[in-house]
Structure formats: C-alpha cells, structure tokens
Amino acid sequence: MPPELFNLFGRLRRRIRGVVAWRSAAGLAAGLGLAFWLGMAADWFFEPPPTVRLGMILAGGAAAVAWLARTLAAPLLRAMPDRELALLVEQR
C-alpha cells in the first residue's frame, strides 16, 4: 500500500475521533445543563431535603459517567481498520 494512504488514514482517524469527542462533549454539556435546570425547578417547587439533593447530584454524576462511557470511551477505543476507512473514503 502506498505511504500516502497511511497518512490519509491517520488523518481520517484523527478527524473521526475529534468529531466523536466534540459530539460527546456537546451532549454532556446539554445534559448537565438540563440536570441543573431540573434541579433548580425541584428546589423552587419542592425544596427537597439535603439527602434528596445529594441523591439528585449523585444520579446526575452517574448519568454523566454513563454518557461519557457510551458516547466517548466506547467509540474512541473501537478499532478502525484500514479496510473500513478505505470503504468510507470510497463512499465519499
């Protein structure tokens, strides 16, 4: 295989990983923003005790970790063989 193809595949891998990272970060920011506003609404309407607030914070943290594992870690750790990348380039 010509060396310029290896360079192309390397750039394509970096670009795909960058898009995955940005999409994951944007989704995480949206989710944390939603959790913040839901927490503010709960405080406004119900004023929950500190243990319930702590539970809400822990649930939000667990959801954030699960989100990162699913949308960031799993795709970044997935192998991208040259064959799949060649098919992707060929489709474009």
Side-chain angles (χ1 to χ4, degrees), residues 2-14:
E4 59 271 1
L5 280 181
F6 287 117
N7 188 21
L8 174 70
F9 292 152
R11 286 191 325 228
L12 185 58
R13 279 187 189 93
R14 282 191 301 277

Side-chain angles (χ1 to χ4, degrees), residues 25-64:
L28 181 65
L32 290 176
L34 178 65
F36 171 78
W37 287 110
L38 288 175
M40 290 294 287
D43 280 348
W44 180 267
F45 290 111
F46 307 117
E47 196 165 342
T51 55
V52 173
R53 288 182 183 168
L54 179 62
M56 290 170 34
I57 291 171
L58 291 176

